[in-house]
């Protein structure tokens, strides 16, 4: 048995019936978390994202200004966790971001397909880091995973983590392309042992986005990995999370599977573009279209 199979075997197997039963229990508990304090926490956990073909230096600068202004316009709520943009806009965000406590996140390394030369991926991450990115979201090579080419897949993640030079590395599993819960479990294990700082569900670009089932499996793997190694890895849900009710489901999964220790902005994020307005509307009790 090779080292990858040994690693997979060390993590508990998953099956749809058990996951469904556990999620049903968590769903019942989620009703207890329907509070303003939780919604504020969720707002503060957002990687506020713009990943449009129409993005430009000016539009990203205006997007960043909105985050700056939010501190003055809604000081009672606190700001988002990060601004997330394409890698070539890292410097634009860095130049215009005036508020403290908001990270500069980029998608890089062949996002969203991870299909380009490895040298290009390395250069992209290096340039983004040099331009000011403090967090880098990359996509696991799903083609290599499905072919069982775990060696090249993990080597690439390790190299990109090294290239990020201390920036937080979030590895996107693209769970909608992985087809089975067991594949999600195995992909999680590979990313964890490749020194990912976060596991992230989806790009939201090509395949189905986040799902509660995928989130549960990923969080359980993060928990088991922590118990084996003592290293805490974060979880980021992304792809199709648009309503306060959607966000609350992922909060409940993290709380019940990983515990309160993971309910910090260093270990829990939600990638979204429209969710911030939904949460603001829930908190304000009326429709708000700020971002």
């Amino acid at each position: 048995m090779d080292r990858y199979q040994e690693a997979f075997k060390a993590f508990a197997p998953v099956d749809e019936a058990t996951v469904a039963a556990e999620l049903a229990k968590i769903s019942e508990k989620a009703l207890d978390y329907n509070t303003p304090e939780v919604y504020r926490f969720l707002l503060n956990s957002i990687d506020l994202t713009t990943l449009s073909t129409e993005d430009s230096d000016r539009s990203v600068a205006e997007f960043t200004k909105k985050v700056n202004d939010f501190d003055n316009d809604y000081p009672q709520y606190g700001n988002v966790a990060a601004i997330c943009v394409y890698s070539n806009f890292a410097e634009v965000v860095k130049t215009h971001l005036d508020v403290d406590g908001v990270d500069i996140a980029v998608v890089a390394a062949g996002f969203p397909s991870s299909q380009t030369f490895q040298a290009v991926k390395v250069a992209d991450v290096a340039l983004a880091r040099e331009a000011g990115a403090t967090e880098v979201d990359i996509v696991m090579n799903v083609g290599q995973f499905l072919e069982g080419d775990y060696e090249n897949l993990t080597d690439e993640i390790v190299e990109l983590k090294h290239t990020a030079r201390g920036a937080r590395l979030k590895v996107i599993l693209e769970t909608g392309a992985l087809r089975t819960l067991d594949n999600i479990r195995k992909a999680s294990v590979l990313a964890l042992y490749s020194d990912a700082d976060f596991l992230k569900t989806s790009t939201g670009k090509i395949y189905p986005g986040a799902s509660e089932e995928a989130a549960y499996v990923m969080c359980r793997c993060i928990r088991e990995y922590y118990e084996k190694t003592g290293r805490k890895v974060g979880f980021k849900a992304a792809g199709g999370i648009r309503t306060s009710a959607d966000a609350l489901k992922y909060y409940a999964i993290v709380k019940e599977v990983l515990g309160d220790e993971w309910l910090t902005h260093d270990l829990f994020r939600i990638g979204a573009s429209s969710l911030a307005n939904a949460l603001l509307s829930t908190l304000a009790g009326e429709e708000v279209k700020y971002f």
Side-chain angles (χ1 to χ4, degrees), residues 144-188:
Q144 288 179 340
F145 175 84
L146 294 175
E147 291 289 330
D149 185 5
Y150 304 140
E151 188 81 15
N152 284 320
L153 182 155
T154 54
D155 283 352
E156 179 174 276
I157 296 173
V158 169
E159 182 171 8
L160 294 176
K161 171 68 179 290
H162 177 74
T163 304
R165 290 184 292 117
R168 184 177 279 130
L169 187 73
K170 306 192 195 93
V171 178
I172 305 167
L173 305 188
E174 197 66 291
T175 54
L178 294 178
R179 304 172 189 168
T180 69
L181 295 183
D182 192 55
N183 278 347
I184 294 170
R185 180 183 70 94
K186 290 177 179 177
S188 298

Side-chain angles (χ1 to χ4, degrees), residues 121-263:
K121 296 180 183 182
V122 170
D124 192 18
V125 171
L127 288 167
R129 183 71 175 103
E130 182 68 24
T134 57
E135 302 183 347
V136 180
D137 294 23
I138 66 166
V139 183
M140 173 181 284
N141 192 313
V142 175
Q144 288 179 340
F145 175 84
L146 294 175
E147 291 289 330
D149 185 5
Y150 304 140
E151 188 81 15
N152 284 320
L153 182 155
T154 54
D155 283 352
E156 179 174 276
I157 296 173
V158 169
E159 182 171 8
L160 294 176
K161 171 68 179 290
H162 177 74
T163 304
R165 290 184 292 117
R168 184 177 279 130
L169 187 73
K170 306 192 195 93
V171 178
I172 305 167
L173 305 188
E174 197 66 291
T175 54
L178 294 178
R179 304 172 189 168
T180 69
L181 295 183
D182 192 55
N183 278 347
I184 294 170
R185 180 183 70 94
K186 290 177 179 177
S188 298
V189 172
L190 293 174
L192 289 166
Y193 279 111
S194 299
D195 293 333
D197 296 305
F198 263 73
L199 300 188
K200 177 179 171 182
T201 56
S202 316
T203 64
K205 287 291 185 181
I206 302 173
Y207 295 92
S211 72
E212 294 170 67
E213 293 78 9
Y216 176 84
V217 173
M218 293 165 69
C219 286
R220 202 177 76 172
C221 287
I222 290 170
R223 185 77 206 183
E224 290 185 60
Y225 177 76
Y226 171 68
E227 290 168 353
K228 297 176 193 303
T229 67
R231 190 171 79 93
K232 290 182 178 178
V233 174
F235 170 75
K236 178 176 174 179
I241 304 171
R242 298 183 177 88
T243 70
S244 298
D246 289 338
L248 194 61
K249 294 174 184 176
Y250 293 99
Y251 174 93
I253 291 169
V254 170
K255 182 175 177 65
E256 295 301 323
V257 178
L258 291 171
D260 290 342
E261 293 177 78
W262 264 262
L263 293 176

Side-chain angles (χ1 to χ4, degrees), residues 99-111:
V99 293
D100 295 328
V102 177
D103 284 310
I104 302 171
V106 299
V107 295
F111 179 93

Side-chain angles (χ1 to χ4, degrees), residues 30-46:
L31 299 174
D32 297 333
Y33 309 138
N34 184 18
T35 67
E37 291 76 20
V38 169
Y39 288 125
R40 278 197 293 271
F41 172 79
L42 288 167
L43 177 65
N44 302 151
S45 301
I46 289 178

